[in-house]
Amino acid sequence: RVRTAVEAAVRRVARGATTRYVAALFEGAPMSEAASARAIRPYDRPTELDARWEKPARYNAFDRFWLGLIRDERDLEIVYTALSRSAVVLPLAALLYISGDFPWWAGLAYIGIVFKGFMARFVLMLHCVSHRALFKKDVDVLNHWIPVVMGPFFGQTPYTYYSHHMGIHHPENNLYDDLSSTMKYQRDKFGHFLLYWADFFFVNLFKVPAYFKRKNRTKLLRRFVTGELGWYVAVAIGMWLAPWPTFWVFLLPMVLIRWFMMCGNWGQHTFVDPADPNNPFKNSVTLTNARHNRNCFNDGYHIVHHAKPAMHWSEMAEEFDKNLEAYAENRAIVFDGIHNFQTVWNWAMRKRYDLLADHMVDLPGWELTRDEKIELLKSRTRPIPRNAWNTTPSLARKHARAAK
């Protein structure tokens, strides 16, 4: 009876945690009157939810050990993020394999712990170390710790995130040759999103290698093929030898995270100006006053990131504040108080332009009525024909230089 009661309690917790996680992920928090007032005064915006770095008064011996290995002392936070996730998720995964035959709710609890407690920050940590190597050259082998050792436990096949993100997404800047481009889709239709996700999940396994071969990017081609196919082979063996643990630890996280990441990328590039889609101010959006920024290395400052991809995560909020006039001149879309890009995706799919407009910031010198905001947002979700504009990615770099 005690065991039955404990199992029932765990099942309730697992179901409740999963429900709350999904609700928070997609719905966000309602906008208060105070938040609505802040949205029209971005120069007065709260900054406590930004991820910022301040040099500590002193480092302890453990800090100094890692500081001797990493390239930038500001990334000590990334080291501890990786250590904490390694210390929790890897032993839990090993426990599932050791247990062998465990009830379904134990697997669901594992997924809840990984996704609710650790996933978002891990993915954005992986993003940071893809742009800026964490460890010094003389200990370069440690740079494989996050993408290769930890990555598969968080649904990431080794090297493939780096290959696609650094080798395709940023060079192509969401234009048509970007294999995760949103431009040809009606970006407020769920059916179009399903086509987009299916293309990424099933077809990109072949399109990405073809892209690298066409561009003569041999090293990235080798990394992508090795990581992707190596993962599939390893998981196939795991499904044969230990199917239940392999499903919960490796297979399901990969399927789920690729869905959530495509929701996020769609949210980042939902609102694209058809007259100037090369411009990072007009093909991306920015989220301010969002918990996601503090937890996920300022990921909400996506316009800054596309304009200056090599910028350190701790500098992005300040860079945004220094360039408000450029955001206004370029008619950039900035949202205040939206939790994350999956919420943008969700509201776009549901055509909740009223909610999006309520969170849209009035930039200095560029203020719109609520109805005007709704019309602007709608106009930036329409499919953009390939030949309707100059597709040269170098123009995006020109816009970035102009923002300096």
Side-chain angles (χ1 to χ4, degrees):
R1 286 198 299 270
V2 172
R3 179 180 177 179
T4 301
V6 170
E7 290 180 355
V10 173
R11 284 197 295 270
R12 286 195 298 272
V13 171
R15 285 196 298 266
T18 303
T19 301
R20 288 192 298 272
Y21 173 67
V22 172
L25 184 66
F26 289 122
E27 294 299 331
M31 196 178 202
S32 65
E33 291 183 8
S36 180
R38 284 199 301 270
I40 65 170
R41 295 196 302 275
Y43 34 84
D44 257 347
R45 69 183 187 87
T47 60
E48 63 268 17
L49 294 180
D50 293 331
R52 297 180 184 266
W53 182 84
E54 292 184 7
K55 188 178 180 67
R58 61 184 296 274
Y59 290 112
N60 60 40
F62 195 60
D63 293 336
R64 291 193 295 272
F65 169 78
W66 290 106
L67 287 170
L69 301 176
I70 62 177
R71 298 177 181 226
D72 190 326
E73 67 175 324
R74 296 174 296 180
D75 288 330
L76 187 61
E77 183 173 344
I78 289 181
V79 172
Y80 286 125
T81 298
L83 287 172
S84 63
R85 277 141 185 79
S86 297
V88 175
V89 174
L90 273 61
L92 283 178
L95 185 60
L96 291 184
Y97 273 92
I98 294 170
S99 300
D101 185 19
F102 51 85
W104 65 268
W105 52 261
L108 184 61
Y110 172 83
I111 290 293
I113 291 169
V114 171
F115 274 78
K116 175 63 176 176
F118 303 107
M119 182 61 79
R121 190 166 169 85
F122 173 84
V123 172
L124 275 303
M125 173 180 67
L126 176 64
H127 177 242
C128 288
V129 300
S130 295
H131 280 274
R132 299 168 60 97
L134 179 60
F135 293 99
K136 296 175 181 178
K137 287 186 177 180
D138 56 344
V139 288
D140 184 63
V141 66
L142 293 178
N143 283 313
H144 302 293
W145 170 26
I146 293 173
V148 179
V149 178
M150 295 182 65
F153 293 89
F154 293 87
Q156 302 292 339
T157 52
Y159 302 122
T160 55
Y161 177 87
Y162 175 90
S163 299
H164 180 275
H165 188 76
M166 300 301 295
I168 301 177
H169 181 59
H170 275 282
E172 301 297 350
N173 192 40
N174 197 54
L175 302 180
Y176 260 90
D177 285 340
D178 183 351
L179 299 182
S180 59
S181 173
T182 60
M183 294 185 59
K184 68 181 180 181
Y185 300 98
Q186 177 67 41
R187 293 178 295 281
D188 61 358
K189 285 190 175 181
F190 185 65
H192 279 224
F193 174 77
L194 287 179
L195 291 174
Y196 171 78
W197 175 83
D199 181 75
F200 177 83
F201 193 87
F202 297 107
V203 185
N204 267 10
L205 181 62
F206 308 99
K207 291 168 69 173
V208 171
Y211 174 94
F212 288 140
K213 185 175 181 180
R214 186 172 69 250
K215 297 287 185 177
N216 199 28
R217 304 293 298 275
T218 306
K219 185 176 180 180
L220 288 175
L221 172 61
R222 186 169 60 250
R223 279 192 169 193
F224 179 86
V225 172
T226 301
E228 193 80 357
L229 294 185
W231 183 90
Y232 278 105
V233 169
V235 168
I237 295 172
M239 291 296 291
W240 178 42
L241 297 177
W244 206 226
T246 301
F247 171 79
W248 290 106
V249 173
F250 296 113
L251 185 58
L252 184 58
M254 188 275 280
V255 174
L256 291 176
I257 198 57
R258 290 194 176 186
W259 172 271
F260 288 132
M261 288 175 68
M262 287 299 97
C263 294
N265 190 72
W266 187 280
Q268 291 164 347
H269 300 286
T270 293
F271 304 106
V272 182
D273 187 345
D276 195 10
N278 301 10
N279 185 341
F281 288 96
K282 297 183 178 182
N283 70 15
S284 303
V285 301
T286 290
L287 305 182
T288 66
N289 190 29
R291 295 190 308 275
H292 180 69
N293 286 333
R294 185 169 60 190
N295 186 51
C296 295
F297 305 100
N298 283 327
D299 180 54
Y301 293 98
H302 203 67
I303 292 175
V304 172
H305 179 61
H306 267 269
K308 299 183 178 181
M311 175 169 283
H312 193 267
W313 56 267
S314 65
E315 301 171 352
M316 290 181 178
E318 183 179 355
E319 178 71 14
F320 168 77
D321 289 333
K322 290 192 303 185
N323 288 283
L324 282 175
E325 292 77 9
Y327 281 74
E329 291 170 6
N330 283 278
R331 303 299 189 256
I333 291 177
V334 179
F335 294 115
D336 178 280
I338 293 181
H339 176 55
N340 55 28
F341 290 111
Q342 283 82 3
T343 303
V344 176
W345 170 85
N346 177 265
W347 288 353
M349 293 296 99
R350 294 162 54 201
K351 295 180 173 56
R352 292 303 307 269
Y353 289 104
D354 55 334
L355 295 176
L356 290 162
D358 286 342
H359 286 265
M360 184 174 165
V361 169
D362 282 331
L363 296 167
W366 185 49
E367 298 183 1
L368 303 176
T369 66
R370 190 171 187 255
D371 289 341
E372 288 172 336
K373 290 177 180 178
I374 290 173
E375 288 307 310
L376 174 69
L377 293 170
K378 287 181 177 180
S379 73
R380 293 195 180 184
T381 63
R382 295 166 188 151
I384 303 173
R386 174 184 283 273
N387 297 322
W389 33 268
N390 187 334
T391 61
T392 306
S394 61
L395 290 181
R397 292 188 285 273
K398 177 182 176 182
H399 286 297
R401 288 194 297 269
K404 290 182 180 180

